[in-house]
Amino acid sequence: MKKNGLFITLEGPDGAGKTSVMSILAARLEDSGVPHVVTREPGGVRISEMIREIILDPSHTEMDARTEALLYAAARRQHLVEVIEPAIRDGKAVLCDRFIDSSIAYQGAGRGIGTEEVRAINRFAIGKRMPDLTLLLDLPAEEGLARISRNKGREVNRLDTEELDFHRKVRSEYKVIAQEDPDRVIVIDATGTLEETAEKAWASVKSRLL
Ligand SMILES: Nc1ncnc2c1ncn2[C@@H]1O[C@H](COP(=O)(O)OP(=O)(O)OP(=O)(O)O)[C@@H](O)[C@H]1O
Ligand SMILES: [Mg+2]
């Protein structure tokens, strides 16, 4: 493994399987004896979890789109400083459920703030730190939402209640990001079974790690 660790992010539309795939990847890293940290956005540390609550509360219907984008960037900064940077310095593999690309896709494209504006505030938040590898789990917005609605255990958050059109814009922006940064972003077809998707994700991780 690289001396400086490996920063891996999972991205993709709601219900694509990011969280499920991440736990399988974590188990594979464990089995392979690779020191690693598993974390998520927004959240992961005390202050960022508090910001998460504010962002995702379904009752916060008056939230302005730029306020939302700034809160995500603030949560990202705190989490980066407290969790991600120290783990990378320790030479660990960091698996992070969502990062900057979520903001570009959801706030920049989905909310229509503009991807360059959202990139700019995120540059302020994260400086030069970008993931070494991003696994983009790709599937039609409808399929992801159908998976979530079948899953009774997950609470519906403020962004889930957006129209299908919002989620379609998110998916298509993710694809633009992947085209612009093909060395970092690997697009993984997430329409198959969880096992199939996880297998493809693991192959990408393994090729960068071992
Ligand atoms: N390949 C798959 N086929 C069918 N169902 C799946 C698949 N992968 C995950 N699921 C199920 O779909 C639901 C959403 O999966 P998961 O929570 O991992 O997605 P996610 O991308 O993390 O979603 P979110 O963006 O909402 O956090 C869960 O109930 C999960 O068990
Ligand atoms: Mg998830």
Side-chain angles (χ1 to χ4, degrees):
M1 187 166 77
K2 281 199 283 179
K3 199 169 138 232
N4 265 339
L6 191 77
F7 179 25
I8 304 160
T9 58
L10 277 113
E11 294 282 359
D14 295 33
K18 297 175 293 297
T19 307
S20 310
V21 166
M22 203 169 86
S23 71
I24 295 175
L25 293 179
R28 298 284 178 92
L29 289 174
E30 187 71 34
D31 291 347
S32 311
V34 177
H36 62 280
V37 166
V38 178
T39 190
R40 71 161 186 188
E41 274 207 356
V45 293
R46 196 168 62 109
I47 291 171
S48 305
E49 289 288 344
M50 291 167 84
I51 299 173
R52 179 189 180 99
E53 300 270 302
I54 298 171
I55 298 171
L56 296 181
D57 188 331
S59 75
H60 290 173
T61 51
E62 74 276 36
M63 191 178 292
D64 171 75
R66 286 179 180 230
T67 305
E68 181 182 287
L70 288 162
L71 286 171
Y72 272 114
R76 178 161 302 129
R77 172 74 192 169
Q78 191 65 29
H79 178 241
L80 181 77
V81 169
E82 281 195 66
V83 176
I84 297 175
E85 292 291 357
I88 294 171
R89 276 199 299 275
D90 282 352
K92 291 180 179 156
V94 180
L95 287 179
C96 187
D97 195 338
R98 296 193 181 279
F99 194 63
I100 181 173
D101 302 318
S102 285
S103 285
I104 310 292
Y106 284 76
Q107 280 70 50
R111 295 274 187 236
I113 297 175
T115 53
E116 269 320 303
E117 279 82 350
V118 175
R119 237 181 259 283
I121 60 164
N122 275 279
R123 266 191 218 113
F124 177 70
I126 68 173
K128 290 198 165 49
R129 176 60 68 191
M130 282 295 282
D132 300 304
L133 172 65
T134 296
L135 305 172
L136 172 56
L137 305 190
D138 181 53
L139 89 176
E142 297 87 322
E143 280 190 47
L145 297 175
R147 285 180 185 175
I148 287 174
S149 68
R150 283 197 299 268
N151 172 14
K152 304 280 185 278
R154 181 180 173 289
E155 273 179 29
V156 172
N157 71 44
R158 202 169 49 82
L159 274 78
D160 295 335
T161 55
E162 284 299 323
E163 300 294 323
L164 187 55
D165 183 51
F166 170 89
H167 293 283
R168 286 194 174 132
K169 285 185 201 148
V170 169
R171 183 202 189 191
S172 97
E173 183 58 32
Y174 268 133
K175 291 188 159 184
V176 171
I177 293 169
Q179 276 162 11
E180 286 173 350
D181 206 349
D183 293 337
R184 170 176 69 91
V185 184
I186 306 295
V187 182
I188 293 177
D189 172 11
T191 56
T193 65
L194 173 58
E195 291 69 26
E196 284 164 352
T197 308
E199 213 48 61
K200 291 178 211 156
W202 175 239
S204 287
V205 170
K206 208 164 63 173
S207 73
R208 305 274 177 130
L209 267 179
L210 309 173

